[in-house]
Amino acid sequence: MKVDLLIDGSSSLLDKESEVAIEDYILSKSLENNKILNRIISFQTVDDFTILTILKDYKDKAEIKKIFRFKAMGWNRDGLVFRVYRALLDKDMKNSLSIVLTDANPSDLKPLITEGFKLNKPYQEEAGLEDTIENIHKLRIKGLNIAAILNSEKIENAKKLYKNNFIKIDKASAIANTAGKFIKKQISEIEKFS
């Protein structure tokens, strides 16, 4: 079993950087204590580049020094993140779980480039959601299990993106208990069908 923790590192989380890093550390350490391989990847879009940063790889131990390198900046073009993320995945994804720590609000100042003579759409609201939904769907078709931990009030967006595979967490103190149960349930579902 492998678990990836994908962390939205956009500037909307600037005031929550340390809280997000604490949550990541708690989740990673809990998975590690249960002998589940895990990796932490943060993502953000800066100018024309989407950056994925591996804060902890599968073979690494959960270390505060590494995980607290997390920095929030830029935007979050989630659809592009999921396209790039495919390159980091194993071909066999049936025993893999990706948990996205997100505000479920994909947005960027730069527009979504369209083909032909259509006008470019701003990468926000429906355009951002549609692009993200499409790319999550492509990963699910390949066999990846995707769930989310929501850190905002965007419940309707989370339903569109992750269906019923998400929970909302209001503060870091709830992460150990609530998220732990949620991840355990997700892993049990995967193991049931493998």
Side-chain angles (χ1 to χ4, degrees):
M1 187 76 211
K2 288 182 179 178
V3 176
D4 278 351
L5 302 172
L6 291 167
I7 296 113
D8 172 356
S10 63
S11 58
S12 63
L13 296 171
L14 271 172
D15 61 334
K16 295 182 180 179
E17 271 183 351
S18 60
E19 188 175 312
V20 170
I22 290 166
E23 291 171 359
D24 299 336
Y25 177 77
I26 292 168
L27 289 173
S28 180
K29 194 69 176 165
S30 299
L31 291 164
E32 185 180 291
N33 289 343
N34 286 289
K35 301 192 179 358
I36 296 172
L37 292 174
N38 66 90
R39 141 176 95 174
I40 301 174
I41 303 168
S42 69
F43 63 86
Q44 60 263 125
T45 300
V46 180
D47 291 327
D48 291 329
F49 301 95
T50 292
I51 304 159
L52 276 69
T53 305
I54 298 175
L55 299 171
K56 178 200 171 295
D57 212 339
Y58 295 125
K59 64 187 178 315
D60 299 336
K61 296 280 184 202
E63 292 179 28
I64 288 176
K65 286 180 193 172
K66 289 183 180 179
I67 295 170
F68 275 75
R69 291 181 301 162
F70 172 75
K71 293 285 179 217
M73 65 180 152
W75 301 88
N76 57 314
R77 219 174 242 259
D78 294 15
L80 184 54
V81 167
F82 289 116
R83 281 195 293 274
V84 173
Y85 178 54
R86 278 183 247 168
L88 297 177
L89 295 169
D90 294 336
K91 289 187 182 191
D92 180 14
M93 293 183 242
K94 69 178 181 179
N95 287 327
S96 295
L97 171 63
S98 293
I99 299 173
V100 186
L101 281 78
T102 181
D103 61 2
N105 188 30
S107 60
D108 192 349
L109 274 178
K110 298 205 178 222
L112 181 65
I113 305 300
T114 55
E115 294 180 21
F117 293 105
K118 297 178 195 172
L119 290 175
N120 294 336
K121 299 178 190 176
Y123 196 89
Q124 49 193 261
E125 297 168 6
E126 288 306 311
L129 285 172
E130 288 171 18
D131 184 50
T132 305
I133 290 167
E134 177 186 330
N135 286 288
I136 288 174
H137 179 70
K138 287 177 181 175
L139 287 171
R140 283 190 174 126
I141 287 173
K142 291 187 177 277
L144 185 64
N145 300 285
I146 300 176
I149 296 174
L150 184 65
N151 59 12
S152 76
E153 300 301 320
K154 301 279 187 177
I155 305 283
E156 289 307 310
N157 286 2
K159 286 179 183 174
K160 289 177 184 177
L161 295 168
Y162 304 102
K163 302 178 182 174
N164 291 328
N165 286 339
F166 74 93
I167 58 166
K168 184 179 179 310
I169 300 275
D170 292 317
K171 53 190 174 210
S173 60
I175 199 91
N177 190 26
T178 310
K181 288 177 184 173
F182 175 71
I183 293 170
K184 185 177 179 181
K185 180 183 170 209
Q186 296 293 320
I187 290 171
S188 295
E189 289 291 317
I190 294 168
E191 288 176 341
K192 194 185 319 181
F193 296 106
S194 28

